[in-house]
Amino acid sequence: MNKTRYIIILTAMILVPLLLTGCIGEDYYESPPEAFLQVGDELYKLKEGNRKWNFTDEDYDKEYINLKELAAKEKQIFVKPGSSGFLIIEQNEIEGIYPYSGVSIGVVARKGDDLTMLNDADKTFFFPKEKGNYVLEIDFDSDQGDTEFVANIKVE
């Protein structure tokens, strides 16, 4: 084998792995989102509960948490019967593109053992018309992972 050919092969063996490392090491998916509840002019950060996140090397999974107990520890949010709420899901943006795909958001109000579906597609929903204490459960599902959020709601 001539010396020039040997140098070219050796250079290629060193450069190719270095060039590929940049592509392989890129992080295309970010951490799970944060959720906020807007009621009128007020904005409340929602408490994160269970989480199963798939597309990162970091361990973002959370163990099973009793959502009713978690919500009970949070400050109560007072709302009027039948009033509207709006969810704001903050996603980590990568170069102007939102990384989450296949997103569905479900919102449920739990009063004791009774569940009331408030929405299953849109980020806007209406609180129950019946007065009482509720656990608001938000289920964020995406192709990258699933996470739940809770709020302690008092309809009065």
Side-chain angles (χ1 to χ4, degrees):
M1 187 188 278
N2 69 27
K3 192 173 183 177
T4 306
R5 188 172 183 187
Y6 177 76
I7 291 173
I8 291 172
I9 291 173
L10 183 61
T11 305
M13 287 175 55
I14 292 171
L15 288 179
V16 169
L18 290 175
L19 292 172
L20 289 177
T21 312
C23 298
I24 295 169
E26 267 187 65
D27 189 11
Y28 290 101
Y29 299 99
E30 291 292 310
S31 59
E34 292 183 331
F36 299 86
L37 173 63
Q38 183 175 354
V39 179
D41 294 334
E42 297 293 322
L43 190 64
Y44 305 93
K45 183 172 183 187
L46 299 176
K47 184 72 175 176
E48 186 180 41
N50 302 313
R51 178 177 55 214
K52 177 74 174 145
W53 209 249
N54 306 322
F55 281 82
T56 56
D57 292 335
E58 296 181 42
D59 185 15
Y60 283 114
D61 293 353
K62 275 188 166 183
E63 295 178 20
Y64 176 77
I65 297 170
N66 183 316
L67 297 179
K68 288 175 17 178
E69 288 178 15
L70 183 64
K73 296 176 185 176
E74 295 298 299
K75 182 179 175 184
Q76 267 192 331
I77 300 171
F78 297 92
V79 300
K80 294 182 176 163
S83 63
S84 67
F86 181 73
L87 292 174
I88 298 170
I89 307 293
E90 285 194 359
Q91 302 173 335
N92 293 321
E93 198 172 332
I94 303 173
E95 297 177 12
I97 300 171
Y98 291 112
Y100 307 121
S101 60
V103 172
S104 72
I105 300 171
V107 181
V108 172
R110 181 185 299 274
K111 184 177 182 183
D113 291 331
D114 296 333
L115 291 176
T116 305
M117 177 67 86
L118 301 180
N119 90 332
D120 60 358
D122 196 5
K123 293 180 184 177
T124 302
F125 61 92
F126 294 94
F127 291 101
K129 293 181 181 178
E130 183 182 326
K131 293 181 179 183
N133 294 319
Y134 292 86
V135 173
L136 189 68
E137 298 177 7
I138 293 89
D139 187 21
F140 177 89
D141 294 330
S142 75
D143 292 343
Q144 287 74 31
D146 307 324
T147 189
E148 296 172 322
F149 301 94
V150 295
N152 185 356
I153 302 293
K154 173 127 183 158
V155 177
E156 58 176 20

